[in-house]
Amino acid sequence: MASALARTILARRFHVSASRHALSKFAMPAMSPTMTEGGIASWKKKEGETFAAGDVLLEIETDKATIDVEAQDDGILAKIIAQDGQKNISVGSPIAIIGEEGDDISGAEQLAAEAASEKPSTPAKDEKAPEAPKPEPTKLAEPPKQETKAEVPQGDRIFASPIAKKIALERGIPLAKIKGTGPNGRILREDVEKYQAPAAAAAAPTAAAPQSSAGLPDYTDIPVSNMRRTIGTRLTQSKQELPHYYLTLDINMDKVFKLREVFNKTLGEKDKSAKLSVNDFVLKAVACALADVPEANSAWLGEVIRQYNKADISVAVATPTGLITPIIKDVGAKGLASISAEGKALAKKARDGKLQPQEYQGGTFTVSNLGMFGISHFTAIINPPQSCILAVGATQPTLVPAPEEERGFKVAQIMKVTLSADHRTVDGAVGARWLAAFKGYLENPLTFML
């Protein structure tokens, strides 16, 4: 019995003393491999309240969704350190004190105070980076001019060490604005860390500007959410570092529309809410084209190009807090009805902020459809490490040549699509082959059934 209790204490890393059986610090968990910080959406248990294994303790806001955190064991919530609404809490920082039912929780306040006193040690490290305003003297008129000249010209390839890229991504620093001190101008870790000082220094005069100018228009400052910050950082990095190119094609959707009408009539007799959308056909055609041209179903990993055997398609969904891309797994092996049902369920979870990390991480190809908003044509930014993203526009009636018709022309439903591809992994000819295969499947949708 004693050994079992000892194992439990060690497993849960409890703080043990003579006055209480077991109290421990409950840290901000990492809900995904890329998560570095999160926020407290709401606590579902109150201080002093007991919980059982499987109970939801709290909701955590990550950079992509709001996720329930369940208790792994029975216990009691002795003290809450991070309150509802608190944001930017680093992974591993204490957010509560927990214990076992029957424990003496009088020491929870002291343990919480200890945990709070540990916090300044982490930010202190961060403060040193901005505090290194040794560049402050460099703030004379001439050095900044030289620095801007030394910046990487727009469109040139940026060379940076992996750790420098990682730090820049986490801190939202554009690599194009950093002058590298490594061999051949390569950006090193120290270059990224030193860049923060001028950024912080530049922020001071900017903040002071509104006070000096009285004629500013009315405005509202909206706090940047974790999700919006991540979107901004990742898409900026993608646009700067990935050599995008774009291929656009017109597709005749007449046969898709007719087949969709037949399918929806049949489905409607069984379930009135079950209806196929044009996007369901698009996703199936994407998967079939990826099977024909697997080079487009790939990812750039630095030393290797990874080519995927299945089409796990990320579908862009607009939510009140920003864009997120839930994944429909192995689309090629699924029928249109399954794709439709799964897509609707994932879109609802995305808008409700209830997606689990495994539901939006790990896709191999992305589809972004703005056709329902009447947008005829647009280009999309690649979601790294994926190689491609397909931008789908609205289907519009268009006059097309028709020699078989008496008038020599006819009206066809034409949809314009644009493929954004990473030239490191997908050459132009490969992208063109993939688009041709995609077009072939949509213009002859019965091939889905073969």
Side-chain angles (χ1 to χ4, degrees), residues 214-408:
L216 282 177
D218 291 341
Y219 62 88
T220 302
D221 287 334
I222 301 169
V224 177
S225 66
N226 288 338
M227 187 175 183
R228 178 55 60 188
R229 185 182 293 110
T230 301
I231 290 170
T233 302
R234 285 180 61 80
L235 294 187
T236 300
Q237 186 177 12
S238 172
K239 198 65 174 170
Q240 287 176 342
E241 296 185 7
L242 272 61
H244 286 62
Y245 72 90
Y246 310 96
L247 302 173
T248 301
L249 202 62
D250 290 340
I251 298 174
N252 188 325
M253 297 293 285
D254 284 350
K255 291 182 181 178
V256 166
F257 276 30
K258 288 175 184 175
L259 191 59
R260 175 175 171 249
E261 186 180 350
V262 172
F263 282 173
N264 281 342
K265 188 175 179 181
T266 306
L267 286 171
E269 293 171 0
K270 299 176 183 177
D271 182 0
K272 291 185 179 179
S273 62
K275 280 191 176 181
L276 299 179
S277 68
V278 170
N279 207 48
D280 299 329
F281 285 85
V282 167
L283 295 176
K284 184 66 177 179
V286 165
C288 292
L290 289 175
D292 291 351
V293 188
E295 298 95 323
N297 197 27
S298 60
W300 174 266
L301 300 181
E303 298 302 320
V304 297
I305 294 172
R306 179 168 295 169
Q307 197 171 108
Y308 297 101
N309 300 323
K310 294 180 180 178
D312 294 341
I313 301 179
S314 305
V315 182
V317 175
T319 74
T321 52
L323 188 72
I324 193 167
T325 52
I327 301 161
I328 302 177
K329 302 283 181 71
D330 197 7
V331 174
K334 292 174 179 171
L336 290 167
S338 298
I339 294 169
S340 179
E342 196 171 329
K344 287 171 185 170
L346 285 169
K348 185 180 186 307
K349 287 181 77 173
R351 294 187 185 100
D352 294 341
K354 297 296 182 183
L355 284 175
Q356 296 300 309
Q358 66 271 18
E359 292 176 319
Y360 59 80
Q361 291 178 347
T364 65
F365 188 103
T366 298
V367 172
S368 179
N369 190 339
L370 293 179
M372 64 284 293
F373 298 105
I375 302 300
S376 59
H377 170 253
F378 69 104
T379 57
I381 300 173
I382 297 168
N383 184 18
Q386 295 176 14
S387 294
C388 299
I389 182 170
L390 184 70
V392 181
T395 301
Q396 297 177 327
T398 309
L399 289 177
V400 297
E404 71 280 4
E405 297 284 333
E406 188 179 341
R407 295 176 297 177

